[in-house]
Amino acid sequence: MAKPNYSFEKRQRELAKKKKQDEKDAKKRAERDAAKGTADPEQNSGSESA
């Protein structure tokens, strides 16, 4: 019977944790951008005409 490869399992857990954190950061960034876009509509239209 083969030995368990604990290093591989640990690496997989770390990758899963990093992926989850990246998704969480992306979601926060999207929410922040959406809130920023709705809060400053005049500023965006002003920069287009300049």
Side-chain angles (χ1 to χ4, degrees):
M1 185 170 167
K3 300 188 314 186
N5 189 348
Y6 295 112
S7 297
F8 177 78
E9 292 174 9
K10 182 178 180 183
R11 178 73 176 142
Q12 294 303 306
R13 283 194 306 272
E14 290 172 351
L15 288 172
K17 188 184 290 187
K18 181 171 174 37
K19 181 180 176 186
K20 187 174 183 181
Q21 186 64 41
D22 289 344
E23 290 172 353
K24 192 175 184 181
D25 291 342
K27 183 179 178 186
K28 283 185 179 180
R29 194 176 318 114
E31 289 175 357
R32 195 168 42 237
D33 291 346
K36 184 178 179 183
T38 57
D40 298 332
E42 303 97 23
Q43 188 178 29
N44 292 339
S45 62
S47 63
E48 291 174 2
S49 62

